[in-house]
């Protein structure tokens, strides 16, 4: 590789006021920067920060999964493949869901996507036109609202109630938020960032709401196995739905199998939508690498011990961090019933975006500011506790030290 | 893994008339099935067919590329990464373009995407609103039009001229196709499926058109190295553009480095668009696996001998297939100046979709019907000749045999 000679003309880097920006469609130009990524980018450029900002654990993908990808690559599985996903993976997904939930599912219901994010984008593209509304219990993971904005739709945040038991649905408020333009409701349970877990009664109420108003439910149950209440699994729409309900399940391999960086997920939908979903995959990314899909099959078929270990580790992490933060006497924190985040307020610290940036510099801990998660999140910080005991103890010490020191210097 | 017991309730597979489809947004429901994929799905279920339908060669990804991915996986690079791409890959892309075209480029101009398809989708999402128009010289690769339809925009096919020298631009017709709603023009050169290569005069004329009307140019020069005319590289907008031109280059690792199945590409754009592009990546797929990007770096930095071999192989394949088909006396074929497709008509066979299906069954050769490529393609078949001599000789024999036999049985 030869570097360009000094006399090579250099293409200029235009300024931020470049007229190019004026020619970008307004709703696209107005998309918000992820408030999580902002802090990540700030902190990644600094050394020594323990990153608890993103929704990912500290374990790399287990070797049995990575090796399945490497073997597939070695075997030359590097050509175009099925747009809906390898038939073997679709069958493995159907078996996985059947095994967990005791409801046999047809492989034709499963569509492999290039991330859970893409599954959401496809679901919204089918359900929402420009100007149409998506109900979004809030605070919530910001990418759901942004994915709706990206296609010109209108996310309508509907705040959770917040009380001594933490966040809860206000079903009357959800009902009142429905307008003639409402087309869908995004239901994330167990929830990111709040740790809220919908009960079966909650799910039945939302199902009734959706039926009454002809809404799609986009069900994000990706943390369904990270459940600290009764039963191994969090309550699921699968437990209460009928065959003709209009539910799109968005899913990912990221959390259960420590595959955040892979970008592979799936959409579960009525098979009648098969051709539409195939087209949307074809015209957005044209499928998922076969060698990634081989790894996904290994995850589903050999991954149970790893998932069990991850869930147990998260539960221990939750208990450790909750105890440490509660001991400072400065936090407002209800232990989460599911997912793997603490979502807590700090007394005397109303500006959490600034607080998150300060914690990077002053405590060397990276947290996500609640402002990134929409209405109702403004006074909270999100901390991912899907980590090992050693790191969590370190984080607990750094945060406790900072919180205590700050208390002593008013 | 336990299979569901026979008494497990089975979720029904709804019929094609499922009311779910009625609740899908109309412009999404109306997206066309890829006419290429239709024949692929038809033929893949049959044995013994030599697949020449897709735009990919027969070589698997070279080991030095796959091994780079495997090494990265082994090293645990399985976490979330930079949404714009690894800084090392963006720098490698800038060096690659500088080396090829002799114009130094800033790494900030390069954005890693989950396929060239995603680069197109992002470019169109920035440039085109609902109801706005995209000029599309036709026939062309169908996914460009479909990507515009997916976001509610209007692809406006503008037919090429066709004569004894093959397909050529009609610049007056392009000018006449501009309306107050036109926002962009998609320029693919060397072109799929026609093999057309735009001259520098063509590119200057399109640039002038775009400047006159304030249009974006979405430049698809992914076959720029598969050029059989004068010069190693096909003419590029880089050769004639100014810094302030509004050009978005969409690119892929698929063709040069035999990575079709990987789904990795890039978008080259003014850095002023950086945050918008990062947001669009974040909210559609949230980035590209770091281990894939390591492979891409290997491709750029060690891939020149492989690219040279691929291009030489394609040129030999072009000559072999052109000679064989011309010898049948039944085809209308101009040898292509670039890319790696023959696009030819068969005398007495006006229904090329049906012809493609018959060739699967009767000649065991899979071709793409020209109907898949829009206006102007209706009487052609596309054959990908990026293959080894043995396979091409086999295909030539099968097609020649079928064409000759058909001539003798009127």
């Amino acid at each position: 590789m030869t570097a360009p000679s000094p006399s090579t003309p250099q293409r200029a880097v235009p300024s931020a006021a470049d007229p190019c920006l004026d020619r970008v469609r307004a709703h696209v130009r107005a998309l918000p920067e992820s408030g999580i990524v902002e802090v990540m980018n700030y902190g990644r450029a600094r050394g020594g920060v323990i990153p608890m900002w993103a929704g990912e654990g500290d374990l790399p993908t287990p070797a049995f999964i990575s090796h399945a990808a490497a073997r597939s690559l070695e075997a030359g599985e590097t050509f175009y493949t099925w747009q809906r996903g390898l038939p073997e993976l679709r069958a493995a997904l159907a078996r996985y869901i059947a095994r967990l939930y005791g409801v046999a599912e047809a492989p034709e219901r499963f569509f492999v996507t290039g991330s859970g994010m893409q599954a959401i984008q496809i679901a919204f593209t089918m359900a929402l036109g420009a100007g149409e509304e998506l109900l979004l219990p809030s605070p919530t993971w910001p990418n759901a609202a942004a994915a709706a904005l990206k296609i010109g739709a209108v996310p309508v945040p509907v705040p959770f109630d917040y009380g001594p038991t933490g966040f809860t649905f206000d079903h009357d408020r959800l009902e009142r938020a429905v307008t003639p333009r409402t087309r869908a409701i995004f239901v994330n349970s167990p929830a990111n960032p709040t740790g809220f877990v919908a009960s079966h009664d909650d799910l039945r109420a939302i199902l009734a709401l959706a039926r009454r108003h002809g809404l799609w439910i986009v069900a994000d149950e990706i943390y369904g196995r990270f459940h600290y209440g009764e039963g191994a699994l969090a309550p699921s729409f699968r437990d209460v739905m009928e065959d003709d309900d209009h539910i799109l399940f968005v899913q990912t391999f990221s959390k259960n199998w420590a595959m955040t960086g892979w970008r592979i997920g799936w959409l579960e939908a009525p098979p009648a939508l098969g051709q539409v979903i195939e087209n949307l995959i074809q015209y957005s990314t044209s499928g998922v690498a076969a060698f990634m899909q081989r790894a996904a099959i290994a995850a589903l078929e050999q991954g149970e011990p790893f998932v069990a270990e991850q869930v147990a580790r998260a539960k221990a992490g939750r208990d450790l961090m909750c105890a440490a933060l509660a001991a400072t006497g400065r936090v407002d924190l209800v232990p989460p019933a599911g997912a793997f985040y603490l979502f807590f307020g700090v007394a005397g610290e109303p500006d959490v975006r600034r607080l998150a940036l300060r914690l990077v510099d002053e405590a060397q801990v990276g947290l996500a500011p609640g402002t990134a998660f929409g209405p109702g999140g403004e006074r909270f910080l999100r901390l991912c506790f899907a980590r090992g005991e050693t790191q969590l103890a370190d984080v607990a010490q750094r945060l406790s030290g900072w919180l205590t020191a700050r208390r002593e210097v008013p």
Side-chain angles (χ1 to χ4, degrees), chain A residues 227-251:
Chain A
H227 184 228
Y228 315 114
E230 272 178 53
L233 295 171
S236 165
F237 276 111
R238 294 172 203 287
D239 306 330
V240 298
M241 72 187 280
E242 303 290 334
D243 284 352
D244 57 353
D245 278 315
H246 291 77
I247 303 187
L248 303 167
F249 291 93
V250 294
Q251 264 288 1

Side-chain angles (χ1 to χ4, degrees), chain A residues 181-203:
Chain A
R181 292 175 304 284
T182 309
R183 293 289 177 275
I185 176 168
F186 182 78
V187 183
N188 169 222
S189 172
N192 170 7
T194 59
F196 164 77
V197 175
S199 67
H200 280 122
D201 281 348
D202 283 327
L203 299 178

Side-chain angles (χ1 to χ4, degrees), chain A residues 18 47 184 224 257 260 273 285 369:
Chain A
D18 190 281
W257 297 280
T260 46
L273 303 181
T285 53

Side-chain angles (χ1 to χ4, degrees), chain A residues 216-406:
Chain A
W216 287 96
I217 294 172
V218 179
D220 172 350
E221 301 184 349
I222 71 168
Y223 297 102
R225 307 194 65 176
F226 291 88
H227 184 228
Y228 315 114
E230 272 178 53
L233 295 171
S236 165
F237 276 111
R238 294 172 203 287
D239 306 330
V240 298
M241 72 187 280
E242 303 290 334
D243 284 352
D244 57 353
D245 278 315
H246 291 77
I247 303 187
L248 303 167
F249 291 93
V250 294
Q251 264 288 1
T252 178
F253 285 89
S254 290
K255 315 295 179 179
N256 290 348
W257 297 280
M259 295 172 73
T260 46
W262 289 62
R263 319 315 304 130
I264 178 166
W266 73 91
L267 178 64
E268 186 187 338
L273 303 181
Q275 188 59 51
V276 174
I277 294 169
E278 171 168 333
N279 291 344
L280 288 172
I281 292 171
Q282 171 73 236
Y283 303 129
S284 57
T285 53
S286 303
V288 175
F291 58 84
M292 288 234 191
Q293 298 192 57
R294 297 293 176 200
I297 293 172
L300 294 171
E301 301 200 329
Q302 305 162 47
E304 283 309 306
F306 181 77
V307 175
E309 176 197 331
Q310 288 242 92
V311 174
R313 203 162 174 262
K315 183 165 189 327
R318 163 184 174 271
D319 296 345
L320 184 158
M321 286 305 306
C322 283
L325 289 181
T328 68
R330 279 199 68 200
V331 300
D332 174 15
L333 168 64
V334 176
F340 47 55
Y341 307 98
L342 299 190
F343 201 58
F344 62 97
V346 177
E349 296 286 353
D351 183 346
V352 293
R353 182 179 157 277
R354 182 167 156 269
L355 177 58
L357 298 175
R358 278 173 62 206
L359 286 170
V360 164
D361 287 327
E362 299 174 15
Q364 284 76 53
V365 174
L367 303 183
T371 42
F373 302 93
E378 295 84 353
R379 58 186 193 81
F380 296 89
L381 290 166
R382 189 189 73 171
L383 178 153
C384 173
F385 56 74
R387 305 299 167 83
E389 191 185 337
T390 309
Q391 187 181 59
L392 287 173
D394 192 357
V395 168
Q397 190 172 34
R398 292 183 188 198
L399 285 179
S400 300
W402 191 90
L403 287 166
T404 312
R406 293 289 139 173

Side-chain angles (χ1 to χ4, degrees), chain A residues 88 90-100 105 110 297 301:
Chain A
E88 300 93 313
R90 302 178 74 196
L93 285 166
R95 286 196 302 272
Y96 170 75
I97 294 297
R99 173 159 55 91
L100 279 187
E105 299 278 14
F110 295 85
I297 293 172
E301 301 200 329

Side-chain angles (χ1 to χ4, degrees), chain A residues 65-149:
Chain A
I65 295 175
S66 294
H67 288 171
R71 276 195 306 276
S72 170
L73 272 171
E74 196 71 36
E77 286 196 303
T78 57
F79 297 96
Y80 287 126
T81 185
W82 300 90
Q83 295 294 297
R84 302 184 194 197
L86 291 179
E88 300 93 313
L89 176 52
R90 302 178 74 196
L93 285 166
R95 286 196 302 272
Y96 170 75
I97 294 297
R99 173 159 55 91
L100 279 187
Y101 291 96
V103 180
E105 299 278 14
E108 291 72 26
R109 286 179 55 87
F110 295 85
F111 303 89
V112 180
T113 58
S115 72
M117 188 69 244
Q118 191 183 28
I120 291 172
Q121 187 61 243
I122 290 172
F124 287 1
T125 301
M126 291 194 292
L128 297 166
E132 295 181 337
E133 294 173 2
L134 169 75
L135 297 187
L136 210 53
S138 177
T140 189
W141 183 56
N143 289 24
L149 289 171

